[in-house]
Amino acid sequence: MSETATDLDAEDRRGETGTSLDEDDRMKPEFVAAVIDRVEAGDTEGARALVAPLHPADLADLFELAPSDQRRPLATALAEMLDGDVLAEMNDWVREELIDALQPHEVAELATHLDTDDAVAIIEDMEEDDQRAVLRAMEPDDRAAIEEALSFPEESAGRLMQRDLIAVPEHMTVGGVLDYLRYHEDLTTDFWEIFVVDAGHHPVGTCKLSWILRTPREVAVADVMAREQTLIPVDMDQEEVALRFQKYALISAAVVDQAGRLVGMITVDDIVHIIQEEAGEDILRLSGAGDGDINEPILTTVRTRLTWLIINLGTAAISASVVGLFQGTISQLVVLAVLMPIVSAMGGNAGTQTMAVSVRALALNQLPPSNTRRIIFREFRIAVMNGLCLGLLLGVTVYLIYGMASLGVVICLSMIINNLIAGLAGVLVPVSLDKAGADPAVSSAVFVTTATDVMGFFSFLGLAALWGLHS
Amino acid sequence: MSETATDLDAEDRRGETGTSLDEDDRMKPEFVAAVIDRVEAGDTEGARALVAPLHPADLADLFELAPSDQRRPLATALAEMLDGDVLAEMNDWVREELIDALQPHEVAELATHLDTDDAVAIIEDMEEDDQRAVLRAMEPDDRAAIEEALSFPEESAGRLMQRDLIAVPEHMTVGGVLDYLRYHEDLTTDFWEIFVVDAGHHPVGTCKLSWILRTPREVAVADVMAREQTLIPVDMDQEEVALRFQKYALISAAVVDQAGRLVGMITVDDIVHIIQEEAGEDILRLSGAGDGDINEPILTTVRTRLTWLIINLGTAAISASVVGLFQGTISQLVVLAVLMPIVSAMGGNAGTQTMAVSVRALALNQLPPSNTRRIIFREFRIAVMNGLCLGLLLGVTVYLIYGMASLGVVICLSMIINNLIAGLAGVLVPVSLDKAGADPAVSSAVFVTTATDVMGFFSFLGLAALWGLHS
């Protein structure tokens, strides 16, 4: 699975993209249209000539931007350019659509030219039968590497890592390393550090290539390497891997099995995608938009979003039933129905602010147990200050408009109460979910907005009923 | 500003951290408490011994996790360990607090040992007077580099880049490069690629270090380098830089000035922080939580959040005034007040889903103008399907509970209408804000939820009034 040639080709192909991309590096609509026009007119050569200078990432974009009914003919016309690098860059859903149209031996042929991690990314989403057919069509070595990768849990270091890496024994000199690299043509070229291992293949140190380049030939690698390294266990979750890369500013890291033996390497370019995904995922999860992928089949999207909306319908019904308890109070003073959505909406807004901050801090490992009490106290103080300001502002306004001091006091008090509920729920809900092992981004919003809606209606209408407000 | 020694030290210092970090790589509360106890007891030596094995990133965490009134004494006790690497890893607010306590010449001393980009990050947040004092205390070379960096706009490539890089002429051989690197001790060790430049110092190609290592000495670098490279203009926004790094899987990239001359280099480890920040920022901005930094001074947080809440209070008042139009209708049938929050809340939920997807797609450059119409049509179909399902479900339930078919029909129709409003506003608002040059994450939520609240109340109560519903 060496890819010396592929990598260099990719660099060459990028070429002059000035005509296809706008100044923000996005593909121009006219360019997409021009390619599709040629494909439709049967001018395959013309279409190929247009896309020839594109970088694989841009060629992948072209497919994503083409209308879905045009992707199949486009793929047929550009088949020979559609190599593994392009597929690896492509959106999951768009790729799946294309892969489905290929024969297993064609997929196997593509996967053979990829790094293990990219090949796994393509194969792991296939149906089991198709997966087996593809694996059968591969060379035994490649197949074994992919099967091993697939044996690790999804989204774990084992799936992310590549097996092609450079490992040398401690006693080797810098000169020995240089000769080893120069005279073994089948070695990977895709590495930024070399790993130094002991006789049992346990990593004992890491050398940046720049250190090798700057050291005389006769020095032993053991004398230049950094002994302290961040080792990644093969079953570590990819989000955790990404946090380590970020925290320690890593370029590559050794992956070790349970026995501490070096089994693979993860490089930062694969991590960059994960950081982007994981950090962006929370916003979509908090809103119940699932993966939020604009290329997802529409029925999948509807199913994900509808599930979430139906759960919310249930919680909205709970809040409504609280209002239902006070129908008598409302019929005494209809303006309560006018004002009550303000109290619940403001609680929802304040709760969402606190919740977003907490979810983010949890994702960044900034909210360890030692810090939780401090953050709860911090949010409590913020809620008191915000509640007082908003309560007074709203209370005075309501008094001025409706001329009822009692109504002003009631809405002021209920705003303060609901801000406190919002602040506490905004921290406690995500932290408790995290402690219980659930993803706080997925379900915090239901609990927090239910709390602020219920308490908003209950405190406002309840205080009004207690006070005996009527018109 | 060379940092050969610093870098190697940093690796050495990481050491045995098994006792200070939990299995999730987070600092244990007992460890923080133990260090603080020793500082309080005056056992400076003991405190230093405890933190000696920590990586700079973990030492920075220690300061963030310490209660804010303990940070100053902690800094005094650990002063000699508090070097630039630690400061560069520290949260902005915590660092600012510590830097404020230092003399300008101490800050200058720290900054001298850092890469330009890290030094700039520390100095750019200082008051102008302090900044000048620090710059005056620096060596002329370092000062010039920092002053030049500060002349570029905030969050631009010019602020991110480092000036220490390896650039060689085209005609140089691989052997020549090796000798140059080995015999010039003052060169940086922090590089992953070398840049090949012409006589005018314009970059003409890039060589991965692995290619240099694998090529015989007599080959010219011009024959191994990749001619196609992604060049970063010095005034490019950091978010755009991050997208390029991600799209083209870059490890480092050359930064060029307006004349196309090589002026600096950006490496991926600096980009990883930005990707994390930019992707995570949107969730905080959408919820109006500002930077959402848990270390921000509390009054700054209150100011940011309160501003947002007051804007929302205004929009909540607009929605309430819509309810106010229908007080007569509500007094005819109080159950309308019970049900109306369901319609507005469900519209808000559906709108937030669509908005989150759109904001994310815009941030990832997946929503170029050529794609907008398709996405609007996609969201329209999703809204029709969701609206029909939810409307029927709610309509039938309401009919069963209240025995009024007309009320069931009204709430069903208003749910469908509000889902359509939510779907359209969820795409059109962020896309329009983006087109107008505003950050869609910052202000989309106000417009979208105002639209769904107003239309939720208006369609439900309006249809009820038209139908003449009463008890």
Side-chain angles (χ1 to χ4, degrees):
Chain A
M1 210 169 277
S2 161
E3 30 109 62
T4 319
T6 322
D7 237 8
L8 292 167
D9 280 351
E11 295 289 340
D12 281 346
R13 256 199 319 272
R14 189 173 316 169
E16 183 50 70
T17 50
T19 51
S20 54
L21 304 182
D22 68 14
E23 77 277 17
D24 282 341
D25 203 40
R26 300 183 299 196
M27 189 160 283
K28 292 182 192 161
E30 310 90 73
F31 180 79
V32 179
V35 176
I36 290 177
D37 284 351
R38 299 205 185 178
V39 172
E40 280 186 331
D43 179 11
T44 310
E45 281 312 309
R48 283 185 201 162
L50 271 181
V51 304
L54 293 184
H55 183 272
D58 290 314
L59 195 47
D61 277 359
L62 173 69
F63 276 87
E64 291 173 26
L65 292 176
S68 41
D69 56 340
Q70 292 294 338
R71 287 177 193 152
R72 199 67 65 86
L74 198 58
T76 315
L78 307 178
E80 63 194 35
M81 291 161 160
L82 212 62
D83 60 13
D85 281 330
V86 179
L87 287 174
E89 293 286 344
M90 208 175 277
N91 174 280
D92 288 357
W93 296 103
V94 177
R95 182 176 61 215
E96 210 171 300
E97 207 182 292
L98 289 182
I99 292 278
D100 280 349
L102 295 177
Q103 295 299 313
H105 74 267
E106 294 173 302
V107 181
E109 174 61 26
L110 284 174
T112 305
H113 294 292
L114 290 176
D115 278 345
T116 331
D117 55 331
D118 289 332
V120 167
I122 290 179
I123 293 173
E124 68 183 352
D125 291 334
M126 303 179 81
E127 302 286 328
E128 219 169 298
D129 286 350
D130 296 339
Q131 224 177 61
R132 259 198 299 269
V134 169
L135 287 170
R136 259 199 308 272
M138 297 183 85
E139 298 293 318
D141 275 6
D142 293 342
R143 190 199 310 166
I146 300 219
E147 279 174 342
E148 198 203 328
L150 289 173
S151 75
F152 297 112
E154 274 187 57
E155 312 212 322
S156 70
R159 295 258 177 135
L160 276 181
M161 72 187 184
Q162 55 197 74
R163 269 149 201 75
D164 286 329
L165 52 81
I166 309 292
V168 300
E170 289 177 83
H171 56 75
M172 208 180 227
T173 60
V174 166
V177 172
L178 287 174
D179 295 340
Y180 170 67
L181 292 174
R182 276 193 200 139
Y183 303 117
H184 284 76
E185 295 221 335
D186 55 331
L187 293 175
T188 178
T189 49
D190 194 14
F191 61 100
W192 308 97
E193 290 173 312
I194 64 170
F195 301 103
V196 183
V197 290
D198 66 13
H201 217 65
H202 305 97
V204 293
T206 312
C207 270
K208 287 190 192 184
L209 297 190
S210 59
W211 299 346
I212 304 266
L213 283 169
R214 303 208 44 196
T215 307
R217 285 183 68 94
E218 60 279 10
V219 177
V221 284
D223 296 332
V224 250
M225 71 185 186
R227 287 181 188 276
E228 298 312 332
Q229 14 170 19
T230 304
L231 301 177
I232 308 285
V234 74
D235 56 356
M236 183 181 259
D237 184 81
Q238 63 175 22
E239 188 166 5
E240 205 59 43
V241 176
L243 283 175
R244 298 264 165 114
F245 264 77
Q246 191 191 344
K247 181 169 174 185
Y248 299 118
L250 305 177
I251 295 292
S252 63
V255 180
V256 290
D257 65 12
Q258 321 253 271
R261 278 185 306 258
L262 180 66
V263 291
M265 160 179 86
I266 296 179
T267 51
V268 70
D269 52 319
D270 295 316
I271 292 300
V272 162
H273 283 90
I274 290 168
I275 293 177
Q276 172 72 270
E277 260 173 49
E278 298 274 348
E281 231 169 43
D282 285 352
I283 192 178
L284 298 165
R285 288 190 180 159
L286 257 188
S287 67
D291 286 340
D293 191 320
I294 54 174
N295 292 298
E296 195 177 46
I298 194 161
L299 286 179
T300 314
T301 306
V302 169
R303 205 177 319 123
T304 315
R305 294 208 204 162
L306 199 52
T307 310
W308 182 255
L309 290 174
I310 288 173
I311 294 172
N312 275 292
L313 187 57
T315 69
I318 297 174
S319 323
S321 69
V322 173
V323 180
L325 297 176
F326 297 98
Q327 291 189 54
T329 314
I330 293 174
S331 63
Q332 297 278 315
L333 185 64
V334 177
V335 79
L336 292 177
V338 176
L339 296 176
M340 68 181 194
I342 300 184
V343 181
S344 66
M346 293 308 293
N349 289 326
T352 304
Q353 289 181 337
T354 311
M355 179 175 66
V357 171
S358 308
V359 166
R360 202 67 206 117
L362 284 168
L364 295 177
N365 255 349
Q366 289 178 343
L367 247 176
S370 58
N371 220 4
T372 309
R373 198 171 305 167
R374 190 170 98 206
I375 299 304
I376 293 174
F377 183 54
R378 182 171 192 273
E379 289 297 333
F380 179 79
R381 283 180 297 161
I382 295 173
V384 170
M385 287 189 259
N386 283 346
L388 279 174
C389 292
L390 293 169
L392 287 174
L393 180 61
L394 186 58
V396 170
T397 314
V398 162
Y399 168 64
L400 292 177
I401 293 178
Y402 297 98
M404 288 176 71
S406 48
L407 186 59
V409 172
V410 163
I411 205 165
C412 171
L413 287 177
S414 62
M415 281 291 277
I416 295 173
I417 294 172
N418 211 18
N419 258 283
L420 290 177
I421 297 291
L424 294 180
V427 186
L428 289 177
V429 168
V431 167
S432 310
L433 286 170
D434 186 59
K435 204 172 260 177
D439 180 345
V442 173
S443 34
S444 289
V446 189
F447 294 106
V448 173
T449 56
T450 305
T452 54
D453 277 356
V454 166
M455 282 308 297
F457 293 137
F458 188 77
S459 61
F460 178 59
L461 297 175
L463 285 172
L466 268 181
W467 201 297
L469 294 189
H470 57 84
S471 56
Chain B
M1 213 170 277
S2 161
E3 31 110 59
T4 318
T6 321
D7 238 9
L8 291 167
D9 280 351
E11 295 288 338
D12 280 345
R13 256 199 318 271
R14 190 173 315 168
E16 183 50 67
T17 49
T19 52
S20 55
L21 303 181
D22 68 14
E23 77 278 18
D24 282 343
D25 202 40
R26 300 182 299 197
M27 189 159 283
K28 292 184 193 160
E30 310 90 73
F31 180 80
V32 179
V35 176
I36 290 177
D37 283 352
R38 298 202 185 180
V39 171
E40 281 186 331
D43 178 12
T44 309
E45 281 311 309
R48 281 186 202 161
L50 270 181
V51 304
L54 293 184
H55 183 272
D58 291 313
L59 195 48
D61 278 358
L62 173 68
F63 277 86
E64 291 173 26
L65 292 175
S68 42
D69 55 342
Q70 293 295 339
R71 287 179 192 150
R72 198 66 65 87
L74 198 58
T76 315
L78 306 178
E80 65 193 37
M81 292 164 161
L82 211 63
D83 60 12
D85 281 330
V86 179
L87 287 174
E89 293 286 342
M90 209 176 277
N91 173 281
D92 289 357
W93 295 104
V94 177
R95 182 176 61 216
E96 209 171 301
E97 208 182 292
L98 288 183
I99 292 278
D100 281 350
L102 295 176
Q103 295 298 315
H105 75 268
E106 293 173 301
V107 181
E109 175 61 25
L110 284 173
T112 305
H113 294 291
L114 290 175
D115 279 344
T116 331
D117 55 333
D118 289 332
V120 166
I122 291 179
I123 294 172
E124 67 185 351
D125 291 333
M126 304 179 80
E127 302 285 328
E128 219 169 300
D129 285 350
D130 296 337
Q131 225 177 59
R132 259 198 298 269
V134 169
L135 287 170
R136 257 198 310 272
M138 297 182 85
E139 297 294 316
D141 274 6
D142 293 342
R143 188 198 312 165
I146 301 221
E147 279 174 341
E148 198 203 327
L150 289 174
S151 74
F152 297 112
E154 273 186 58
E155 312 213 323
S156 70
R159 294 259 177 135
L160 277 180
M161 72 187 184
Q162 55 198 75
R163 271 153 199 74
D164 285 330
L165 52 81
I166 309 292
V168 298
E170 287 177 86
H171 56 76
M172 207 180 229
T173 60
V174 167
V177 172
L178 288 175
D179 294 340
Y180 170 66
L181 292 174
R182 278 194 198 137
Y183 302 118
H184 286 76
E185 296 220 334
D186 56 330
L187 293 176
T188 176
T189 49
D190 194 14
F191 62 100
W192 308 96
E193 291 174 310
I194 63 170
F195 301 104
V196 184
V197 289
D198 67 13
H201 217 66
H202 305 98
V204 293
T206 312
C207 270
K208 288 190 192 183
L209 297 190
S210 59
W211 299 344
I212 305 266
L213 283 169
R214 304 207 45 195
T215 306
R217 286 183 69 95
E218 59 278 11
V219 177
V221 285
D223 294 333
V224 252
M225 71 185 186
R227 287 180 188 278
E228 299 311 333
Q229 15 168 20
T230 304
L231 301 177
I232 308 285
V234 74
D235 55 356
M236 182 182 261
D237 184 79
Q238 64 174 23
E239 189 167 5
E240 204 60 45
V241 176
L243 283 174
R244 298 266 163 115
F245 264 77
Q246 192 191 346
K247 180 169 176 185
Y248 298 119
L250 306 177
I251 296 291
S252 62
V255 180
V256 291
D257 64 12
Q258 321 252 270
R261 277 185 306 258
L262 179 67
V263 291
M265 162 179 83
I266 296 179
T267 51
V268 69
D269 51 317
D270 295 317
I271 292 298
V272 162
H273 283 90
I274 291 168
I275 293 177
Q276 172 71 272
E277 260 174 49
E278 297 274 349
E281 231 170 43
D282 284 351
I283 193 176
L284 298 165
R285 288 189 180 159
L286 257 187
S287 67
D291 286 340
D293 192 321
I294 55 174
N295 291 300
E296 197 177 47
I298 195 159
L299 286 179
T300 314
T301 307
V302 170
R303 205 178 317 123
T304 315
R305 294 207 203 163
L306 199 52
T307 309
W308 182 255
L309 289 173
I310 287 174
I311 294 172
N312 274 292
L313 187 57
T315 69
I318 296 174
S319 322
S321 69
V322 173
V323 180
L325 297 176
F326 297 98
Q327 292 190 55
T329 314
I330 293 174
S331 63
Q332 296 279 313
L333 184 65
V334 176
V335 80
L336 293 177
V338 177
L339 297 175
M340 68 180 195
I342 301 185
V343 181
S344 66
M346 293 307 294
N349 289 325
T352 305
Q353 289 181 337
T354 311
M355 179 174 66
V357 171
S358 308
V359 166
R360 202 67 205 114
L362 284 168
L364 295 176
N365 253 350
Q366 289 178 344
L367 247 175
S370 57
N371 220 4
T372 309
R373 197 171 304 168
R374 191 170 97 207
I375 299 305
I376 292 174
F377 183 55
R378 184 171 190 274
E379 289 297 334
F380 180 79
R381 284 179 298 161
I382 295 173
V384 169
M385 288 188 260
N386 283 346
L388 279 174
C389 291
L390 294 168
L392 286 173
L393 180 62
L394 187 58
V396 169
T397 313
V398 163
Y399 168 64
L400 291 177
I401 293 177
Y402 298 98
M404 287 175 70
S406 49
L407 186 59
V409 173
V410 164
I411 205 166
C412 171
L413 288 177
S414 62
M415 279 291 276
I416 296 174
I417 293 173
N418 210 19
N419 258 282
L420 290 177
I421 298 291
L424 294 179
V427 185
L428 290 178
V429 168
V431 167
S432 311
L433 286 170
D434 185 60
K435 203 172 261 175
D439 180 346
V442 173
S443 35
S444 289
V446 190
F447 294 106
V448 173
T449 57
T450 305
T452 54
D453 276 357
V454 166
M455 281 308 297
F457 293 137
F458 188 77
S459 61
F460 178 59
L461 297 175
L463 285 171
L466 267 180
W467 202 297
L469 294 188
H470 58 86
S471 56

